[in-house]
Amino acid sequence: MRGKASGISEWLENDQFFFDKGKFELDVKVHSHLNDMENIMMKSDAELILKDLSVIYGPANVSFPFEKLVLSKTAADAYFSILSSTMGQQNEYEIKGDLQNLPALLIELVGMQVSSKVNLVANRLGWIDFINLFGEEGYLKNDQPKTDRQKKQSMKATISGIQNSFQPTLAINVDTLSYYDKVYLENFHTGIHFEGNNILVLEKTSFKYAEGNVDFAARLDIGKEGTTPFEFELHTENINLQKLLPSVNYFGIKLLQNLDVDYENIDIDILLKGVVDDVKGLIPNTAIGELTFENKFVKGKVNFHPESKGVKEPVIRTKLNLEGNPHAFNDFFKTEDFFFEEGVFRVQFDYEGEVINFEDLLNKAVASFIIEKSE
């Protein structure tokens, strides 16, 4: 059987995901009576090939172009593969995986739920590739172009729709993943699944960056419009922050930008939770976290959390502890009249709000200094 891809959507009467453009070829072997649709779906074998098509997700008003989609069904389960390239950047990628209980997606079957295991593989992908699926050329042609906020909301709605329809567990493997041509992550691997309908979980995420190794895990609540509560854990080994920090605008922390210290070959552990505005970034005074770091000269810990001040807006309360080699102490404090050669130094700073440089830190913080066995 051959025809237009849109004909399959008309036959299935799916009001959320449907095909547009493209053509299909369908080969079916039926092991049931032709008047029993449920048995046909459960017991038939089929191969469906679609080329040059668009898959539309109606609730989010989004269109996804695919070059080729192949679905091979045996009884109630199926294997699929998708070949395509991203819009604009033209980065090629492949999506393949398994669908369990496929008939429940096609007809109403009591007590049966579709589930899937999906793998996405690409040599190169960019964050802009992903976002543009939900705007630019990804919006439906009869609509006005979407704002950045509308793109992000479309992305959330589509991800939720995929969860509701396919119950996926997703693995992503990308040789080079870029973020707005500023950050390039090599050998990027991650696993993604849902907890409930709105909590997106990233697990076993790893990549190479700035000469070091990074492991990452996160939980994102995509059920809210305009904002995204999050939690994440990050661990790095031997990373060069002198390369990382400028590319991410020093995480918006002016003190990091204005401190002239050695950030090379450093190990970092971060625990952080907060709320981001989907366009503007981290909402001020929502972050709670702990950061520990260590290299051959110094180790330290930073704790921060919002602290209520009565009727005023909460402010971030930060405690910074440093311990290490006196040479690092000399470098950190930029001492000119005296230098420490041996021993161990310990410093603690306790302050509220933002500090922009070392002088500001000394003026605003309650500080204590301990130097042992020094010369």
Side-chain angles (χ1 to χ4, degrees):
M1 184 185 301
R2 298 183 179 184
K4 293 183 179 180
S6 57
I8 297 178
S9 300
E10 293 172 4
W11 180 66
L12 294 176
E13 297 182 346
N14 191 312
D15 61 352
Q16 294 191 335
F17 290 96
F18 52 96
F19 299 128
D20 185 33
K21 302 180 182 178
K23 295 183 178 181
F24 77 89
E25 296 179 13
L26 177 63
D27 182 17
V28 182
K29 295 180 181 179
V30 179
H31 311 288
S32 174
H33 296 293
L34 294 180
N35 61 353
D36 188 339
M37 182 58 68
E38 182 173 332
N39 267 331
I40 290 175
M41 290 295 181
M42 294 295 295
K43 297 181 179 180
S44 63
D45 300 336
E47 182 176 70
L48 173 66
I49 300 175
L50 300 108
K51 296 181 179 179
D52 299 322
L53 75 150
S54 293
V55 178
I56 295 174
Y57 179 59
N61 209 26
V62 174
S63 173
F64 300 93
F66 294 135
E67 295 169 10
K68 185 177 182 180
L69 186 156
V70 177
L71 180 89
S72 298
K73 174 184 175 300
T74 302
D77 299 330
Y79 168 83
F80 69 92
S81 67
I82 297 170
L83 294 175
S84 196
S85 57
T86 63
M87 296 170 292
Q89 303 294 321
Q90 294 298 306
N91 292 320
E92 295 182 349
Y93 63 91
E94 180 180 14
I95 302 173
K96 54 187 177 182
D98 300 300
L99 287 165
Q100 292 78 45
N101 300 325
L102 176 62
L105 182 66
L106 306 178
I107 60 175
E108 187 174 343
L109 293 173
V110 176
M112 182 177 285
Q113 171 66 56
V114 179
S115 63
S116 59
K117 294 182 179 180
V118 183
N119 291 280
L120 186 153
V121 179
N123 290 327
R124 186 181 186 89
L125 281 181
W127 177 245
I128 194 68
D129 290 325
F130 188 63
I131 292 298
N132 277 349
L133 286 175
F134 305 93
E136 304 300 337
E137 301 200 28
Y139 65 87
L140 300 185
K141 296 302 180 181
N142 60 337
D143 289 334
Q144 295 297 315
K146 292 178 180 176
T147 66
D148 195 25
R149 189 173 295 278
Q150 289 172 326
K151 293 180 191 179
K152 300 292 178 59
Q153 189 56 37
S154 291
M155 179 173 64
K156 286 183 174 182
T158 304
I159 292 172
S160 293
I162 292 172
Q163 159 64 10
N164 291 333
S165 296
F166 298 98
Q167 301 286 310
T169 298
L170 175 63
I172 299 175
N173 297 280
V174 181
D175 292 340
T176 302
L177 182 67
S178 63
Y179 181 77
Y180 290 109
D181 294 324
K182 295 180 179 180
V183 179
Y184 293 88
L185 311 179
E186 304 295 335
N187 299 325
F188 180 87
H189 307 282
T190 190
I192 300 175
H193 70 272
F194 273 82
E195 291 182 359
N197 291 325
N198 295 323
I199 305 300
L200 186 66
V201 180
L202 282 73
E203 59 183 3
K204 299 179 181 178
T205 303
S206 63
F207 51 88
K208 291 184 178 295
Y209 182 75
E211 304 167 15
N213 300 310
V214 181
D215 294 309
F216 179 81
R219 292 165 53 88
L220 309 173
D221 184 350
I222 64 171
K224 300 180 183 300
E225 183 172 349
T227 61
T228 304
F230 70 91
E231 301 177 21
F232 80 74
E233 301 179 22
L234 181 143
H235 171 73
T236 75
E237 293 180 355
N238 298 318
I239 201 165
N240 185 343
L241 287 186
Q242 289 177 325
K243 291 185 176 181
L244 170 65
L245 291 175
S247 64
V248 294
N249 194 30
Y250 296 86
F251 298 111
I253 302 174
K254 293 181 180 179
L255 179 62
L256 285 179
Q257 184 174 357
N258 295 320
L259 283 179
D260 183 17
V261 296
D262 183 6
Y263 292 119
E264 292 186 3
N265 301 320
I266 194 166
D267 297 345
I268 299 175
D269 286 285
I270 299 176
L271 298 173
L272 182 65
K273 63 186 299 185
V275 182
V276 295
D277 180 283
D278 290 343
V279 173
K280 297 179 181 179
L282 183 66
I283 297 176
N285 302 323
T286 64
I288 302 173
E290 177 180 286
L291 181 152
T292 60
F293 55 91
E294 183 174 1
N295 66 8
K296 62 182 179 180
F297 299 113
V298 66
K299 62 180 179 180
K301 177 185 288 189
V302 182
N303 295 91
F304 50 93
H305 63 274
E307 191 169 272
S308 178
K309 291 294 180 180
V311 295
K312 297 182 179 179
E313 289 287 328
V315 297
I316 294 294
R317 178 73 173 271
T318 303
K319 291 185 178 181
L320 167 63
N321 293 277
L322 298 172
E323 178 180 332
N325 186 297
H327 294 284
F329 180 95
N330 296 333
D331 188 47
F332 184 79
F333 287 95
K334 303 300 179 187
T335 55
E336 297 180 356
D337 298 329
F338 58 87
F339 300 91
F340 296 95
E341 293 293 335
E342 297 180 2
V344 175
F345 78 87
R346 296 184 178 88
V347 184
Q348 182 180 84
F349 297 98
D350 189 339
Y351 61 93
E352 296 177 352
E354 183 178 51
V355 297
I356 60 175
N357 53 38
F358 180 66
E359 181 179 358
D360 196 25
L361 177 66
L362 291 181
N363 288 333
K364 292 182 177 179
V366 176
S368 64
F369 305 88
I370 298 175
I371 301 176
E372 298 177 343
K373 301 177 182 179
S374 180
E375 293 184 5

